[in-house]
Amino acid sequence: MSHYEAHLGHARDFYAEGNYEAAKAAAEYALSCAHSNEGSEARVIQAFALRKLEYNDEALELLRNIIQTEPTPEACAEYALMCAERGHCDTTCRELATRAIAEDPDIASGYIALFWCDSTDGQYIDALRNLRRGMHRGAEFSDARAFEMVRSWCQECCDENRCQDALELSSEVVDLFATFDFIILHARLAELNGEHRLAVTYYKQALMRLRPGNLRTDILEAIARIAI
């Protein structure tokens, strides 16, 4: 085993353990003794470790260099995601994410990058489907952030008298997140669209999470109203 391979193995192990400082150092050691045909994986681990350590500018620059020289699906997807998170959801961002997924359909960050691109373009259903794909592959996304975005999109639809579209949006994520806020939103949209059986189902799920109080009373009244 070469010195490069040994240090690279340590970098992989440290990264998997969540020891990102050590992973960064081991990747740098690997690069210091890499031959001309080696180094691509070590550079990717170094970039990912920098990202985890919140050296975001350095990580972005390193990823940019990687995709210009020895692009890998991981580097392309992560670079696309970092660009998307900074609001740079342009054609290049979408193309890199799509390219990464074409090479590795299980790469979670590529789907999250597409989620941001789709949401920026107002393609909300496509955005939520990509969010679901990313989360099913291990991506993390804040429940609270997702709810605020979906609630805003649903309100936009309702303001434009597209209430059925709003229900379709909530249907994409209500079981993915399954929080109280999403359940109530979905129940109310179902009621608004005359889907009373569906509304009662989700109102009852919400009741199971509530203690006696005004909100519980409101939900019971809603169930009574639409069950008539």
Side-chain angles (χ1 to χ4, degrees):
M1 179 184 292
S2 69
H3 290 301
Y4 170 76
E5 291 170 337
H7 289 305
L8 178 61
H10 293 320
R12 287 194 201 104
D13 292 341
F14 286 135
Y15 190 88
E17 294 166 1
N19 189 344
Y20 303 120
E21 285 283 4
K24 173 178 170 291
E28 289 169 352
Y29 280 126
L31 289 167
S32 70
C33 54
H35 296 299
S36 59
N37 62 337
E38 298 174 322
S40 59
E41 185 179 351
R43 293 172 73 203
V44 171
I45 293 175
Q46 182 187 19
F48 277 45
L50 285 166
R51 173 115 150 100
K52 291 291 188 180
L53 294 167
E54 298 186 359
Y55 294 108
N56 290 320
D57 290 341
E58 293 88 342
L60 187 66
E61 184 60 29
L62 182 52
L63 287 168
R64 180 185 291 114
N65 291 335
I66 292 169
I67 65 173
Q68 290 174 347
T69 55
E70 298 178 273
T72 65
E74 295 83 5
C76 290
E78 197 68 20
Y79 182 76
L81 177 57
M82 291 191 74
C83 290
E85 290 174 342
R86 293 176 175 218
H88 303 149
C89 297
D90 54 16
T91 301
T92 299
C93 177
R94 184 181 287 279
E95 287 177 350
L96 284 170
T98 302
R99 171 182 172 179
I101 291 168
E103 293 184 39
D104 181 0
D106 287 327
I107 194 157
S109 52
Y111 293 103
I112 303 302
L114 289 180
F115 160 77
W116 287 115
C117 289
D118 290 334
S119 61
T120 298
D121 292 342
Q123 300 173 17
Y124 300 142
I125 287 292
D126 289 340
L128 294 178
R129 287 173 181 168
N130 277 315
L131 178 61
R132 176 181 288 277
R133 292 175 184 124
M135 292 184 68
H136 282 167
R137 289 163 175 81
E140 296 181 358
F141 202 91
S142 163
D143 290 355
R145 189 173 195 181
F147 176 74
E148 286 305 314
M149 294 179 76
V150 173
R151 183 197 58 76
S152 175
W153 298 343
C154 289
Q155 185 63 59
E156 179 182 323
C157 290
C158 291
D159 289 345
E160 296 172 357
N161 294 317
R162 295 188 292 113
C163 297
Q164 187 62 46
D165 290 343
L167 180 59
E168 187 178 354
L169 287 173
S170 66
S171 296
E172 284 292 330
V173 288
V174 64
D175 296 326
L176 178 64
F177 291 100
T179 64
F180 178 82
D181 287 337
F182 271 105
I183 289 169
I184 284 292
L185 175 65
H186 192 56
R188 288 175 174 162
L189 287 170
E191 180 183 359
L192 187 62
N193 280 280
E195 300 281 349
H196 291 165
R197 183 175 296 180
L198 180 64
V200 168
T201 296
Y202 280 91
Y203 277 138
K204 286 181 176 179
Q205 286 188 28
L207 284 175
M208 295 173 64
R209 302 170 183 232
L210 285 174
R211 295 180 178 180
N214 291 337
L215 183 54
R216 184 179 178 84
T217 300
D218 289 344
I219 293 174
L220 287 169
E221 290 176 350
I223 292 173
R225 180 175 63 251
I226 61 181
I228 296 174

